[in-house]
Amino acid sequence: MQNVIPALIAAVFGSIFGSFTTMLIWRLHYDEPGICKGRSKCTKCGKTLKVKHLIPIFSWLIQQGKCGFCGAKISPFYPLTEFTFALTFFLFTQKFYGTWYLIPVLISVFFILILFWYDAVFMEVDRRISFIAIAFALGWSFSREFPLSAFLIGGLIGYGFYAIQYFCSKGKWVGAGDSELGLLMGLLLGWKFLILGLFFSYLLALVFTVPFLITGKMNRKTKIPMGAFLMPVILLFLYNGYVFWERYLMIFGW
Ligand SMILES: [Zn+2]
């Protein structure tokens, strides 16, 4: 195992970013002021949490998922978010440590995970986050290993793919924010990985929803947060896109 120490340090920072994200998406969704100021409070008893209650992942585990003051249940959404950040920051740092790729890739991972959790929890795409992420991805595409056109074309295809579905279905098939996620995906992955990634996302969505459809817990009109499936696929491709591309081509004998 290479780069374990820097990867562990990145995981600690990742878990802190994860903790920040839980607060960020809550405040953005409910339009609460002061994204960066104000200490976290228990939503039940209103007491301001102490430092020992705010240690990512561990506080929740030690307190067995309950508030340290009133014993109210704390959603597993908090430690799960922190854990996904810690794990991805660990894996990406381990893989890309010592390359110039590391910083832009970690920034991308940060945005992708915020968008993932936002969509998974609230079933919507927050445009304030997606636009910042798009601006970042666009800037990064000027200095990458593929020609700029690969990313710009990717962005256009990704945007168009969802925009067409949105207009044809008058917003019934996909949400308004999904075209921005398509744009982001194309800008981050380039058009080849975008096409393969879209295919993968739908497979993932299918695998996830079929059990619910069979048991009648979902029907064809149930809304599916597409971003929750697009974002993990972007992570997979940023991590190891070439492997997927080669295997995919091999299936078709190219
Ligand atoms: Zn409490």
Side-chain angles (χ1 to χ4, degrees):
M1 285 262 275
Q2 281 181 326
N3 306 327
V4 172
I5 301 295
L8 281 174
I9 295 169
V12 171
F13 279 100
S15 69
I16 296 166
F17 291 142
S19 190
F20 166 75
T21 296
T22 56
M23 181 195 66
L24 175 75
I25 66 177
W26 223 259
R27 292 194 181 175
L28 283 177
H29 184 75
Y30 294 109
D31 261 329
E32 284 179 25
I35 286 163
C36 295
K37 53 186 177 184
R39 298 276 300 274
S40 299
K41 289 184 174 118
C42 169
T43 50
K44 197 81 180 270
C45 65
K47 282 193 176 148
T48 303
L49 300 177
K50 291 181 179 168
V51 174
K52 68 170 180 178
H53 300 133
L54 293 169
I55 302 161
I57 306 168
F58 292 100
S59 290
W60 191 88
L61 290 175
I62 292 165
Q63 291 160 214
Q64 295 171 319
K66 288 172 192 153
C67 167
F69 297 109
C70 67
K73 273 200 171 177
I74 302 169
S75 164
F77 154 74
Y78 292 93
L80 268 177
T81 307
E82 290 155 359
F83 179 72
T84 51
F85 270 81
L87 181 68
T88 45
F89 271 61
F90 179 87
L91 292 173
F92 277 89
T93 304
Q94 210 212 352
K95 179 156 177 146
F96 296 111
Y97 186 71
T99 69
W100 69 273
Y101 210 64
L102 180 65
I103 297 300
V105 121
L106 285 183
I107 296 172
S108 309
V109 166
F110 177 66
F111 286 125
I112 289 164
L113 287 175
I114 297 179
L115 288 165
F116 167 82
W117 281 108
Y118 205 110
D119 206 5
V121 174
F122 297 118
M123 304 273 278
E124 61 182 34
V125 178
D126 189 280
R127 286 207 157 119
R128 289 162 288 192
I129 302 167
S130 63
F131 281 144
I132 298 171
I134 287 164
F136 167 76
L138 183 64
W140 186 26
S141 65
F142 281 86
S143 59
R144 295 193 50 185
E145 75 277 33
F146 289 121
L148 176 64
S149 58
F151 298 103
L152 296 183
I153 293 168
L156 277 178
I157 297 175
Y159 187 83
F161 180 74
Y162 284 103
I164 288 168
Q165 292 186 70
Y166 184 76
F167 282 110
C168 289
S169 69
K170 295 191 177 79
K172 277 181 210 145
W173 297 340
V174 296
D178 288 340
S179 37
E180 277 119 47
L181 296 185
L183 172 62
L184 177 67
M185 192 172 185
L187 285 174
L188 285 174
L189 300 184
W191 69 269
K192 282 186 182 175
F193 291 163
L194 169 90
I195 292 169
L196 192 54
L198 286 175
F199 175 69
F200 266 59
S201 308
Y202 279 90
L203 269 184
L204 192 65
L206 200 67
V207 168
F208 185 80
T209 48
V210 160
F212 292 102
L213 287 171
I214 291 170
T215 54
K217 284 181 180 152
M218 266 185 187
N219 61 47
R220 286 172 62 192
K221 281 179 184 166
T222 309
K223 275 201 170 179
I224 295 164
M226 211 46 226
F229 299 103
L230 288 173
M231 296 302 116
V233 171
I234 300 182
L235 288 181
L236 274 178
F237 275 77
L238 277 180
Y239 191 77
N240 221 348
Y242 299 97
V243 174
F244 288 107
W245 188 238
E246 278 165 17
R247 289 201 183 143
Y248 175 75
L249 292 179
M250 264 161 55
I251 295 168
F252 291 91
W254 289 342

